[in-house]
Each structure stands twice: as C-alpha cells, then as structure tokens.
Amino acid sequence: MKTRAMYGTWSSSVSSALVSTTAKLNDAMWAGETIVWHETRGAQHYVVSQSGSNAPRIISGDKASTGKIAYGGGMFGIRGYTVAFAGTGGRLYTVPASGGSIRPITPGFGGVGGIAISPDGDDVVFGHTYEDKDGLAIVDMGGQDFPRKLYYPSDFIMNPVWHPDGWHLAVMVWDHPNMPWDGCEIHMLTLNDRREVVSVEVLAGGREISVMQPTFSPDGRYLAYISDESGWWHIYFRDLISGEVRQITHGEAEYGGPQWGSGMRYFAFTPDSRAIVARRSEKVQHSLWRIDLESGGATPLLTALPYTFFAQISINLEGRVAVIASAPRIPHELISFDPDFSDVVIHARTVDGVFAPEVLSEPEHIVFTTRDNADSHGLFYPPTSTQFESSGLPPVIVFQHGGPTSANYLCFEPVLQFWATRGYAVFAVNFRGGTGYGRANMLKLNGRWGDIDLADSVDGVKSLATQGRIDPAKAVIYGGSSGGYAVLQGLCEYPGTFKAGVCLYGISDMFALAKETHKFEAHYNDSLLGPLPDAAALYRKRSPLFHNEKIRDALIVFQGADDIVVPQNQSDMMVNALRARGVPVEYHIYAGEGHGFRKPETVDHYLKHTLAFLERTVIYI
C-alpha cells in the first residue's frame, strides 16, 4: 500500500546526488574491434577504450577536454589504432587506442574540435578557433612541425572528413548572420602532394538550406550528407563520378538535427558501402534503420529493445554497430551489436545500475491546439512513485528547453525525473520554432522569440488543466539559457499565470546579449528578433529587464560566474532591478561554472535549493 503525501513532497531514489553524478556519453567510434568513447563525469573529461570483454580503461589521463568549436563536440578522431583527442589548454594529443604514451602534437592556444586523421595516418586536420577566427588547420601526426592554416573561407567551419584517397576533404561552412540550421554549405577541397588546397567545389547547401554530416562512402564513390531542402532533414547521396544527387530517405521525419557542435553523426556506412545505418526521428521519438542503397529497402533495428533515442552511430570494418542509446526510463548507454542485430553488448552507462521501469515517469507525446488554431507539441511526465500517492491534482513544472532551436527528446532526463518522482507533473514544451517537426515549424520562431514559445507554453498548460491532469494554480516555469529567458519573459508577459519561476543563466537584456555573447551566437538574434538597429524596438519589448515591474511571482535565479554565452551581468541586472523594487528574489552564483553546470556539488546545491524554494512558494500555500 502506498503512503499518502502531498504532491511535491514525495521522496525519490532519483536524488540530487544521483542527478549530480550522472555521467554523459558524448561520442563513440571504433578502432578496429576496440570501442573508444568520450565521457564527462562532473567537470572532468575522459577518453575511454574497451577491447573485447576487457574492463574499460581511461586512455587520456587527465588531459582530455571538450571540443571548442561552437558548443563543443568532435573531441577525438581515429585512424587504425591511433586516437587524436582535444586536450586541456587547446592542445591536440595522440594516444594508442589500447592506452599508452600520450603525446602532444600541437601547442596550447585557441581551441580545437572536429578531428580527422588522414587515410595514410601522416596528418591530422582539425577545426581550430582562436581570437574569433575559425578554420581548418593541419599538423603532422608526429607533431614535428608547427600546425598550419589549411582552409579559412568563412566565419565558421565544422566536421572535416577525409576521402579514402587522401587527396580530398569535405567540410561544412557558413557565415554570419546564419546559424548552421538556417543555411550552410558543404565544400569539397582538393589537395596537392604537400596537402595544400588547390581547388574548392561547393557540393551542397546554401544560405537557406541546412546541410550537415558530410561522409564519404568507404569505396570513395559517394558523398553522403543530410539536407533540409525538402522541408525535412533527409539523407542525400552525391555520385562523385557522375555528379548525380539522389535523396535516400523520405517522409515527415528528421534524419538530422541542429548542429550545436562538431562531430554529430546521424548515420554511418556499412564497410561494403552498400547500406547505411541511420537514426530516424518522428515527433522526437527515434528509431534505428538499415537502408539498402540499391533497392532503397529499409529495415528497422533493435525493435525488441525499448530505446527511443539514438546518437553517434559508428560501424567498424566487421560491420559491428555502436550507438549511444536511451529511453525515458533507461539512462544513456553505449551499446554495440552485430550486423545480424544479435549479441547486444552494453559498454558504458551514465548511471550505475538499472532502474525498475515503474520507478520512473514515462512521458507521453502530446499535441494541443494553440490560441491561433495551430498544433503545438510537448512531452507530459505524470507524477510517478512506487511509494506515494496524493489526492487532487498535481503541480506542474513547465520546462522550457534551451536553444531555443532545439527540442525535448524521449530520452533519460535526470532533472525532469527528479521532479516527476517527487509528485510534480512535468510539461516539457516543444513549442513552435524548435526542431524535430520540419523546417517550416522551426522557422516559426523567427521574429517571435519570447512570444510564440511562451504562448504555446501557456496554451499547453490550459489544455492539460482542461483535461484535469494538472493544477494550473500551481504552475512553475523552469528553464536554462534561452529557457531561462523564457522564465523571465513569462513572468513579465503572463503575471500570475505561474506561481514561481526557476531561472538558470537566463537572458534579461537582448541588447547586452547581442554585444557580449560568444561568436557562435553573436548574430543569432538577427533571425530570432531582427538585425539592429532596425529591430531595436522589438529588442526592448522582448527584454525582461525593461519590463521587470510586471514581475510579481516568486523567482529563484542560478548563474555561473564564468559563463561566456549568457554572462553573469544578465542575471545581475535583473536581480538588482527586482531587489531595488523590493521584490524578493533568491540568487545563487557559482564560481568556476560556465554555461550549464558541471560540478556535482553545484548541481546538488541548485536542486536542493530549488526543491526548498518550490515547497515554500508553491506546495505549502
């Protein structure tokens, strides 16, 4: 028999300590039959390898780092049994896949990401950023010579890949004011015997076509890539001999996603170049497919397993597939399986042990009608417990994803499970303007950031309340980064709608953001709001700082002192303005934290203080 207790007061095995120590699996590739992956534990980065049934071993020592292009990614590359990885201080290191001597091959300046070793193993090409200049650099594998610039054509460059012949490279490039999901190009470079660029051909993309993941087939015949020219991110093949371009996948599904960092892989070739294994996303639910390139026939994979999220597909020379997999009730795992889909092996988990399914909340993908008679979407997590039950309707946390050009996915989200297993319903909004529902849906945010996203959130809450699934009088708006902006803007535009706001490193002043954020997003507002100075009136209208007098609901703010994306002054200005008016606001600043909290002690502290804050402002009222 379950114990009766108020919603929001249940205890849970998804503790703040568990959430704060959950690891992250960022990438995985094969080195022969050895699997190599990059994981994050707290603020520490590691490159790990496993051969056969041997125990995994850290091969990077304490020298690994995240990639530094955009939001990171592309942290390592492999050729044969050699791994090149992004290291601390901006250096590039090499190490055998089985472990051994770690050797620096570049000096420590700037940042690297998107690492590709040449087919002959003599050189490494990598994305490099330094003093706001981004491009491709090249260095010999022995690190005997100083790295040199190879290709610096645009404001941004990402995801270099070698053709098997060693004479060509493909790479994606774009310029301000675009973000890569607005439009970008794939360039193919021809090199001479000194590995200098002698010619460039634009193979795909454009200012209003988003392309990604250029990939040469193992036999060198094709360049495969993802493009949204059809209105959805689909996979295309370009015959490098005839120039013919063929669309391989079809339908209202996404085979790609927003490129927030380097090295994101949504498909991989089989070693015989006759098929690909690809991730398909329909309404943010993922499935894995093998697609025969001659017949076009598609076979679903792993259908007997309950995974609903896949990332970073890699296939070795024997055809064994590795992929990072998850589901709402399954923490992320690195798995591999044979070409006949047998012998599924779990190499790594982000959480020790396995949750019984009934312990965690299973979200439901919902579609609701907005005030302008359109469809919007979200994931609804009902409050779930094996120990407790409550009467009445639950409070609801309205979770705003970051980006804002992103989405909430059907994967394990420890923070959302932290709340759902304590007696809160969680409504993770996939508002219009996010990704996962086609390009037309994504473009709906342009000019309407801070408007349509919040309108959809409020309309979603009303729909859930009408269905009798939540208590709208106990609604909380919660998010980080652009989700934190939604918290502040929501409290301004809809005072009294939300009982409380939980803001993590949120934007308060759009003018200051345009001047001070990092290079990657320096012109993001040009599409979301409009270019300055023409859009100055809209910048002021959509800046919560200038309308803080409307805020009357409880607010707690968390901020990293070292944040270069949303600098600390964004939170300082808002908190100071509210306190000057006598509005109580709880504020926590974390030294040594940037954009997104990494340290276990920080995450543990923020969750405990948010729990106490919501108990006194929402639950016990």
Side-chain angles (χ1 to χ4, degrees), residues 33 37 52 125 131 160 197 204 291 335 341 354 410 419 479 557 577 588 597:
E33 296 182 359
W37 67 89
V125 164
E131 294 183 341
V197 178
I291 303 171
I335 65 171
F341 324 128
V354 178
L410 284 163
W419 296 109
V557 177
H588 299 274
F597 301 147

Side-chain angles (χ1 to χ4, degrees), residues 143-258:
Q144 299 300 308
D145 298 321
F146 200 82
R148 61 180 171 87
K149 292 183 176 180
L150 182 67
Y151 191 53
Y152 278 66
S154 306
D155 290 322
F156 299 98
I157 197 162
M158 192 181 282
N159 297 339
V161 292
W162 288 91
H163 188 279
D165 66 10
W167 298 101
H168 299 86
L169 284 162
V171 67
M172 55 181 286
V173 302
W174 71 97
D175 286 301
H176 283 313
N178 270 8
M179 301 299 286
W181 46 84
D182 294 320
C184 54
E185 297 177 339
I186 291 175
H187 292 186
M188 187 168 74
L189 319 180
T190 300
L191 310 180
N192 61 19
D193 56 5
R194 295 185 299 277
R195 287 202 162 132
E196 301 165 331
V197 178
V198 295
S199 66
V200 178
E201 184 179 2
V202 179
L203 296 187
R207 289 196 61 82
E208 295 183 355
I209 299 174
S210 172
V211 290
M212 67 194 74
Q213 199 194 329
T215 306
F216 291 107
S217 59
D219 63 7
R221 176 69 182 267
Y222 300 102
L223 175 76
Y225 59 91
I226 296 170
S227 171
D228 70 353
E229 61 194 88
S230 71
W232 297 79
W233 273 310
H234 282 293
I235 300 172
Y236 292 75
F237 272 36
R238 183 185 181 97
D239 189 314
L240 296 175
I241 297 175
S242 69
E244 177 191 6
V245 176
R246 184 162 53 107
Q247 184 176 337
I248 300 300
T249 60
H250 304 271
E252 293 190 350
E254 303 278 33
Y255 285 83

Side-chain angles (χ1 to χ4, degrees), residues 329-455:
R329 292 175 167 180
I330 304 175
H332 291 69
E333 301 172 339
L334 171 58
I335 65 171
S336 70
F337 54 93
D338 279 338
D340 62 358
F341 324 128
S342 64
D343 188 30
V344 177
V345 174
I346 298 175
H347 299 274
R349 286 190 172 105
T350 55
V351 174
D352 291 334
V354 178
F355 288 102
E358 63 271 15
V359 169
L360 301 178
S361 181
E362 181 68 30
E364 169 194 350
H365 183 273
I366 62 172
V367 182
F368 57 92
T369 302
T370 64
R371 62 192 66 184
D372 54 350
N373 292 315
D375 284 344
S376 193
H377 308 84
L379 303 178
F380 180 74
Y381 292 73
T384 302
S385 177
T386 58
Q387 298 174 280
F388 299 95
E389 61 182 4
S390 303
S391 58
L393 297 173
V396 61
I397 288 177
V398 183
F399 182 77
Q400 308 288 135
H401 65 68
T405 311
S406 187
N408 290 299
Y409 298 102
L410 284 163
C411 62
F412 180 67
E413 295 288 359
V415 170
L416 303 191
Q417 294 288 358
F418 176 88
W419 296 109
T421 56
R422 278 171 172 73
Y424 288 86
V426 178
F427 174 40
V429 192
N430 280 335
F431 49 78
R432 288 172 291 171
T435 48
Y437 302 87
R439 182 177 179 89
N441 181 79
M442 180 187 74
L443 295 177
K444 289 177 180 178
L445 198 63
N446 287 356
R448 297 193 65 184
W449 187 28
D451 169 23
I452 195 172
D453 45 339
L454 288 170

Side-chain angles (χ1 to χ4, degrees), residues 504-515:
L504 289 81
Y505 36 90
I507 303 154
S508 64
D509 181 353
M510 290 296 176
F511 294 101
L513 182 76
K515 291 190 297 183

Side-chain angles (χ1 to χ4, degrees), residues 465-487:
T466 299
Q467 298 171 45
R469 305 184 77 176
I470 55 126
D471 181 352
K474 293 187 175 182
V476 177
I477 188 167
Y478 187 129
S481 190
S482 69
Y485 162 64
V487 172

